[in-house]
Amino acid sequence: MITLYKEVQPADPFVVRLPYPFSDYDRQMLTLFYQPLVGAQAMSLYLTLWADAEQAGDKEFTHYYLMNSLDLPIGKIFEARISLEAIGLLQTWKKEEDNNRSFTYELLGPLDAKTFFDDALLSVFLFNRIGEHAYKRLKDRFLKPEVEMEGYEDISRSFLDVFQPSSRLDQFKQDQVQYAEAKVTKGIPFQYEFDFSLLFAGLSEQMIPTKAFNARIKETVKRLAFLYSFTPIDMQKVVLLALDDNFSISEDLLKKAAADYYKLATSKDIPYLKKSFVQTPEIGQPMQKEQLSKEEELLQYLETTPPAQVLKDMQGGKEPLPADVLFAQQLVMNHQMPVGVVNVLLQYVLLRTDMKLTKNYAEKIASHWIRKNVQTAKEAMTLARKEHSQYLQWKNDGGKKAAPAKKAVREEKVPEWFYKKQQSNVQEPVSGQINVEEERKKLLAELGVLKDEVKK
C-alpha cells in the first residue's frame, strides 16, 4: 500500500510551471478526450494548476490551498495527481532539503486529436469509457476528411525561395527549435518490455523484412501487446493478419488485426483498462493491509486469464491441443459464456476426468450453467459445489457402469477450491449444533430456576 505521508503532506509547498500557453483547442481536448479517462477530480486539479500558472507565475503555494480550492482531502489530491502523471498531462519534480520537501508541477499539453486516435491505448481506453456512438461523434468532429486535390498542382514557394540567409538567421533558427521542442507533447509515459527477438524468430524475413518494423510500428506492437495481454507468439499471428497485399504493415491494420484476434481467442468484449494503484488512507486513519485470500486470488486469476492460458497452466506450461482451445473459444464466442465461467468449467471438468476434456460432459454442465445464467467465476464455483452429485451422475451415465458412484466420489480428483469448501461446509453445521445444544441447556436451566421460584 502507498504510504501517504511519505508521498505528500498538506503543508508541503509547490510551484507550477507552464512551458507554453495553452489554447482553446487544448481545453477542448482536455474536457472531451482526457476527462473521461482520468475523472472529474483529476481534471479539476489540472484546470486549477493551469489557472494558477497563468496568473501567479513562480508563486509558491501549499497543498492546503489545493485542499481548500478543490474541497478534497490530501489523499484524493494525490490520487488525482498520479492519474495526470500516468496519462501524460503532468510531470512532478520533488526536492528534499534539510528534512523539508517541495514540489514543482510541470503541466504538459494534451495530444492533438489525430495523435490521440492513432494511439492504441488511449483510443481504446476512450472508446470503452464513452461508448461507440460518442466516440464516433468525436472522431467526426475533430478528424476532418482530407480535401481531394485531384487535377491541382502544388506551386507553393519554399522558405529559401523567398528569403535569404542573414547573420541573425542562426540565432533565429535556434530559438525556433527550442520553442518547437518545448511545445512537443510527450504523450503517456509508457514503459513496457516486449521480446521483439521472439516475435521476429517466428516470422519469415522473406515475407516480412525486419526493416518494416520501424520505431512507430514497434511502439504500436508494444502497446497492443500490453492492451490485449498478448505474448510475442500471439503478436506473430496478429502481424500475419495485418499484412496487406504488398506484404507491408500499417498501424491501422495492426489495430484491426489485434482486435479481431482478441475477439477470436479471448472475448468479444473489448479490454478494459483500470487504475492499479491502491487507495490511500487519509491522515489519522489506521493503515490496513488489503491482502487477498487464496480463494480471492483464484477468482481473480479465473476472471482475468484467457481460457487458452488456463489450459496451458493446467498442463504444466505445455501448449494445449487446438481442439481444446477451440472448444473453449466456442463457449465464449458462440454461447456468450463469460471467460471466468468457462475457466471454472475447464478446471472442474479436467480435474474430474483425469485431465481429459470430455466434450459431451463439459457441454452438459455448460448448458446447465447457461440456463442458470451464471455470470461470474464465483457463481460457477458455488453452483459446482451445490450440484456436484448431479454432475457426478451425468458423468457416470455417459460412461461405463463398472465402478459404483460412491467409490468414484472418493477416488476421483476434484479442484482444490471445491474440496476445501466442502470440508468447511461439513464442519460448519457440526459447530452450529454444539452451540445450539449449549443454548438449549442454558435455556432449560433458566426455566428450571423459574419453575422453582414459582413453586416457592
Side-chain angles (χ1 to χ4, degrees), residues 52-113:
D52 291 334
E54 287 185 327
Q55 299 297 325
D58 293 332
K59 182 179 177 181
E60 190 172 84
F61 301 89
T62 67
H63 287 79
Y64 278 121
Y65 161 74
L66 290 177
M67 293 169 64
N68 293 330
S69 298
L70 300 172
D71 192 24
L72 291 174
I74 188 65
K76 294 296 183 183
I77 290 176
F78 173 71
E79 291 178 9
R81 189 197 89 188
I82 61 179
S83 294
L84 294 174
E85 293 168 356
I87 209 70
L89 293 176
L90 183 68
Q91 194 163 11
T92 302
W93 307 85
K94 182 177 74 172
K95 180 180 180 182
E96 294 189 11
E97 191 174 42
D98 298 331
N99 294 325
N100 293 319
R101 178 173 53 195
S102 61
F103 297 88
T104 296
Y105 294 139
E106 182 176 357
L107 297 177
L108 305 175
L111 298 172
D112 63 273

Side-chain angles (χ1 to χ4, degrees), residues 16-18 20-22 46-61 65 107:
V16 188
R17 287 191 59 224
L18 193 66
Y20 61 89
F22 293 162
Y46 187 93
L47 295 176
T48 301
L49 294 176
W50 179 2
D52 291 334
E54 287 185 327
Q55 299 297 325
D58 293 332
K59 182 179 177 181
E60 190 172 84
F61 301 89
Y65 161 74
L107 297 177

Side-chain angles (χ1 to χ4, degrees), residues 4 28 43 76 84 96 112 127 151 216 242 297 362 391 454:
L4 185 58
Q28 293 183 54
M43 193 50 56
K76 294 296 183 183
L84 294 174
E96 294 189 11
D112 63 273
F127 184 95
R216 195 171 182 87
E297 289 179 354
Y391 297 164
V454 172

Side-chain angles (χ1 to χ4, degrees), residues 432-442:
Q433 290 173 4
I434 294 173
N435 291 335
V436 171
E437 184 65 23
E438 289 177 356
E439 291 297 323
R440 189 177 69 84
K441 289 179 180 179
K442 289 180 182 179

Side-chain angles (χ1 to χ4, degrees), residues 209-366:
T210 306
K211 62 182 181 181
F213 290 86
N214 55 37
R216 195 171 182 87
I217 293 296
K218 282 187 173 182
E219 186 66 20
T220 302
V221 167
K222 285 170 56 178
R223 296 189 179 217
L224 290 172
F226 168 78
L227 178 64
Y228 292 102
S229 299
F230 284 161
T231 65
I233 305 300
D234 294 325
M235 287 307 300
Q236 290 176 7
K237 302 170 185 175
V238 171
V239 169
L240 292 174
L241 287 173
L243 289 177
D244 60 15
D245 295 338
N246 299 321
F247 295 97
S248 60
I249 310 170
S250 68
E251 293 178 70
D252 291 338
L253 289 177
L254 272 175
K255 294 175 189 176
K256 184 178 184 304
D260 292 342
Y261 182 75
Y262 181 82
K263 290 177 183 178
L264 178 66
T266 306
S267 172
K268 293 183 70 174
D269 298 327
I270 59 176
Y272 181 79
L273 294 175
K274 62 181 181 180
K275 296 178 182 178
S276 61
F277 62 86
V278 181
Q279 298 292 323
T280 55
E282 299 303 326
I283 297 175
Q285 293 183 353
M287 299 286 288
Q288 296 180 353
K289 293 184 178 180
E290 298 182 1
Q291 294 183 347
L292 298 177
S293 65
K294 288 186 177 180
E295 182 163 336
E296 287 172 337
E297 289 179 354
L298 174 62
L299 285 171
Q300 187 179 48
Y301 166 77
L302 294 172
E303 290 284 7
T304 58
T305 307
Q309 184 63 41
V310 171
L311 289 170
K312 183 177 180 180
D313 293 343
M314 294 190 70
Q315 295 176 185
K318 297 178 181 178
E319 289 293 334
L321 292 174
D324 294 346
V325 177
L326 180 61
F327 173 67
Q329 290 174 356
Q330 287 174 344
L331 293 177
V332 174
M333 301 290 290
N334 299 342
H335 301 288
Q336 309 298 315
M337 290 185 70
V339 172
V341 177
V342 173
N343 287 335
V344 174
L345 176 65
L346 294 174
Q347 190 178 76
Y348 179 83
V349 171
L350 284 171
L351 294 179
R352 292 282 301 129
T353 57
D354 197 22
M355 298 305 291
K356 299 173 185 176
L357 189 55
T358 309
K359 189 176 179 181
N360 292 339
Y361 180 50
E363 284 178 341
K364 244 183 179 179
I365 299 176

Side-chain angles (χ1 to χ4, degrees), residues 408-448:
V409 172
R410 290 194 300 269
E411 291 185 352
E412 287 182 344
K413 295 180 181 178
V414 293
E416 186 178 0
W417 53 262
F418 184 97
Y419 207 79
K420 287 187 175 180
K421 186 66 178 180
Q422 278 195 322
Q423 289 178 344
S424 62
N425 284 344
V426 171
Q427 293 171 358
E428 286 175 3
V430 174
S431 61
Q433 290 173 4
I434 294 173
N435 291 335
V436 171
E437 184 65 23
E438 289 177 356
E439 291 297 323
R440 189 177 69 84
K441 289 179 180 179
K442 289 180 182 179
L443 185 58
L444 289 174
E446 291 175 1
L447 290 174

Side-chain angles (χ1 to χ4, degrees), residues 33 113 117 126 130 132-146:
F33 287 74
F117 283 119
L126 182 64
I130 67 177
E132 182 179 0
H133 180 70
Y135 181 87
K136 186 177 184 302
R137 190 173 60 220
L138 277 181
K139 205 165 185 178
D140 293 340
R141 173 180 171 182
F142 283 88
L143 292 186
K144 303 298 181 184
E146 295 183 2

